[in-house]
Amino acid sequence: MKINTNTLWRGLTMVLVLPALAGLILLGGCSNDPVTPKDEVPALKADDVATQAGMVAMAAAIVTPQTVEFAGKSDKDTYVHTFTGTVVGVVTMDYFTGGAGGTPAPWNTADYVDFYTASDAPLVATIGLSGFEGTVSLGFALNAALDRVADPNTATVNGTGTFVSGQYDATFAFTDLFVRQGANYPISGTMTFTTTNFIATVTFNGTSTAVMEMSDGTNWHVDLTNGEVTPVFPG
């Protein structure tokens, strides 16, 4: 099967809601300070942005493999999948042959999938970091070029989006996240997380630890099992 790699870049929105996490680093460690106008919001530090990016990377590692792991009845071209565990909720998957904008097809013959949540039904993810326990909600839309000939099957996932936490926001983009059936984490590809003052680039390598490089020159490890980030010191 020849795979059409001209993937459709759809809008991807991820909104994190932190109702009981006052003072959490995701809010820049300043959520207890009274802030009203947006232009007075304290600037985030590098470690704050690194933590935000780590949470998005964790969610990506859980969600994106399902583009190639899903298996269902082969009598339709639109399916739903229910996540349980760290991420809970329902996603819709629309399958096609002929790439983006192609012909609707069953999952097992398709070479392309649009993968998204309903606008009014985001997924809910649990944060298990020590001292930062709580839940977040997220909505997204992504797409993947599928290779059903490769054994095991593979998918190349792309997408863009926005991130909101308290009074802070950011944008991010997934570039060629390569996932393989049976693998627990993306094999390769990057996620770029962009705020006003920093850019964090997370590189996936097939293990539970991704590598993140910040635009200020700092480097971090990301534990994809829980989103925790750890600075990497030279030497």
Side-chain angles (χ1 to χ4, degrees), residues 143-157:
N143 59 78
L146 307 172
D147 187 343
R148 295 297 187 191
V149 175
D151 186 13
N153 293 172
T154 63
T156 303
V157 183

Side-chain angles (χ1 to χ4, degrees), residues 15-30:
V15 179
L16 299 193
V17 180
L18 304 162
L21 305 181
L24 180 61
I25 196 171
L26 287 177
L27 302 182
C30 301

Side-chain angles (χ1 to χ4, degrees), residues 27 30-43 167-168:
L27 302 182
C30 301
S31 63
N32 292 325
D33 298 333
V35 178
T36 45
K38 186 173 179 59
D39 60 358
E40 295 181 12
V41 175
Q167 299 180 73
Y168 297 96

